[in-house]
Amino acid sequence: MSVARLSRAARESVAGLPRAFWWLWASTLVNRLGAFVATFMTLYLTLERGYSASFAGLVAALHGLGGVVSSLGAGVMTDRLGRRPTMLVAQVSTAGTVALLGFMEHPAAIAAVALLVGMASNASRPAVQAMMADIVRPEDRVRAFALNYWAINLGFAVSSVAAGLVAEYSYLAGFLGEAALTLLCAVLVFVKLPESRPAVDAGPVAQAAPEVGLGTVLRDGRFMGVVGLSFLISLIFTQGSVGLPVAMGAAGFSPGDYGLVVAVNGVLIVALQLPVTRLIEHRDPRRLLVVSALLAGYGFAMTAFAGPLWAYALTVCVWTLAEIVNSPTQMGLVVQLSPVHGRGRYQGMYTMSWSVASLVAPLMSGLVIDGWGAGWLWATTGVLGTVAAGGYRVLMRGLPGAAGAASSGGSAGGTGAASAEAGAGGGAAGPVAAPAEA
């Protein structure tokens, strides 16, 4: 491809998005540049503190439990108080608890503060995702979510290498660095981002629409099916930050080695997310979700056969491709099934699937590695990928017009609330866009 064509494709990828989106994008990038705790917690506990893989798994699970606790509450806050206040409270709280965690020494104190960090750091996700859906036109959401995910992984690629080097000298510096960058993120939100929560329409159409509560979300069978499959996929991908570092540490690799290997994930997403999104955004989401689930499961399963460092990097390449395809496809489905005035609650429930996976995955990896060895963990990921692929095939078969929705904008069904939103001009109603793991 010529330089001129590459330049034109880059301009088309960023053109037409509102200014507020770019400030939100910048805050996401800053936040991910400081991602130290989630990436290096298990290495910190096992190598620096000398705890077992099971204890490291327990602490990571408590971090995930914090996210489970805060997901739904943050979703309700996002709808009731607004996107901006929720993000500010979450980011300031995250900065304080991350800094505190770096000074904890007693095992019980480490576990308790890790729970608080999980609660605080996860609370901004529903607000970020809802704000993005608010401020970006439906036809631009695939591109916008892909750009945001690109920022997440650009920050992750840089922070993985930098934090790996920092960890070899001082883990405390990593904790404090994350706290400082999270505070900077809060400053960006406070100074540059206006509130985007849609105003409640008092007209007769709005009065006739059913009120959206957590019960509405739970009764939405199609959406909850997406949440369940998201949990399985999350359970696989989370092994990149909990199972993989423990397995590599046990194999004699250093934190810097792990940082280099896992940085491949971020580098590939930075290089491929936008061109791959342009390639897949009008393709059949059913096929994309099935293929991505299989690539994720068997990409991690290949880790059982990895020996030298380059072989670990190769397995990361395989499951990174799955992530690139799955993330925009699944996130678009979530956004389009969410009613305007219930976006926070729907996003909170979706975020909870990742939080529950963050709770279960460390326990699973720690117990399996300690009890049977890492090979059994990687075999399990292959099974989970196969089950998720079958689940996507069944779920998407029940979505009318799913194959053409991405290109035609047709309805993919959903709850009465979602249909009411589409009728009011609130957003698109057919799959597919992209995630913000922020």
Side-chain angles (χ1 to χ4, degrees), residues 21-311:
F21 165 79
W22 290 110
W23 285 116
L24 186 61
W25 182 90
S27 72
T28 297
L29 177 61
V30 171
N31 183 274
R32 292 304 295 172
L33 284 171
F36 179 85
V37 172
T39 306
F40 285 91
M41 176 59 76
T42 53
L43 287 175
Y44 168 68
L45 293 174
T46 54
L47 297 184
E48 177 76 4
R49 295 290 184 178
Y51 294 115
S52 68
S54 296
F55 178 76
L58 173 62
V59 172
L62 287 172
H63 183 276
L65 177 61
V68 174
V69 172
S70 68
S71 293
L72 297 182
V76 174
M77 283 179 61
T78 297
D79 284 337
R80 290 188 176 178
L81 301 181
R83 285 58 162 141
R84 186 169 176 264
T86 303
M87 282 191 280
L88 285 171
V89 170
Q91 288 161 358
V92 172
S93 300
T94 300
T97 54
V98 164
L100 182 63
L101 182 59
F103 292 99
M104 294 298 100
E105 296 184 357
H106 192 279
I110 291 173
V113 177
L115 175 67
L116 296 177
V117 171
M119 292 178 64
S121 62
N122 202 64
S124 64
R125 293 182 182 180
V128 170
Q129 294 164 357
M131 178 175 279
M132 201 164 298
D134 295 338
I135 64 181
V136 176
R137 296 178 302 177
E139 60 268 27
D140 292 331
R141 284 178 186 155
V142 171
R143 191 159 48 96
F145 277 110
L147 282 165
N148 194 65
Y149 200 63
W150 185 79
I152 289 169
N153 287 279
L154 175 61
F156 179 71
V158 174
S159 69
S160 294
V161 176
L165 296 174
V166 169
E168 294 188 355
Y169 295 97
S170 171
Y171 279 93
L172 178 59
F175 287 107
L176 296 180
E178 176 168 350
L181 286 172
T182 305
L183 275 180
L184 178 58
C185 184
V187 170
L188 280 176
V189 170
F190 180 76
V191 173
K192 294 295 185 179
L193 280 178
E195 177 56 55
S196 68
R197 181 175 53 152
V200 178
D201 188 354
V205 175
Q207 292 174 359
E211 182 180 351
V212 178
L214 290 178
T216 308
V217 185
L218 293 171
R219 289 190 296 271
D220 188 340
R222 180 173 297 158
F223 181 79
M224 292 306 297
V226 174
V227 170
L229 292 174
S230 171
F231 165 73
L232 293 182
I233 291 295
S234 305
L235 204 59
I236 298 171
F237 283 130
T238 304
Q239 297 307 326
S241 60
V242 293
L244 184 60
V246 172
M248 289 186 66
F253 293 102
S254 70
D257 292 331
Y258 168 69
L260 288 173
V261 166
V262 80
V264 171
N265 171 258
V267 170
L268 284 180
I269 291 177
V270 169
L272 300 179
Q273 182 71 67
L274 298 184
V276 170
T277 298
R278 290 172 62 87
L279 179 67
I280 69 174
E281 62 180 327
H282 299 306
R283 296 183 182 273
D284 184 356
R286 291 173 291 194
R287 185 171 299 173
L288 294 174
L289 289 169
V290 169
V291 170
S292 64
L294 292 173
L295 282 174
Y298 291 104
F300 273 98
M302 288 170 56
T303 311
F305 306 101
L309 200 63
W310 66 263

Side-chain angles (χ1 to χ4, degrees), residues 318-362:
V318 176
W319 55 259
T320 296
L321 181 59
E323 186 179 357
I324 289 172
V325 173
N326 182 274
S327 295
T329 307
Q330 183 164 258
M331 190 61 196
L333 183 59
V334 170
V335 170
Q336 293 158 357
L337 291 177
S338 305
V340 168
H341 296 293
R343 277 179 180 152
R345 290 172 173 84
Y346 270 71
Q347 295 291 352
M349 184 65 71
Y350 174 68
T351 300
M352 192 177 71
S353 68
W354 287 82
S355 300
V356 174
S358 296
L359 169 64
V360 174

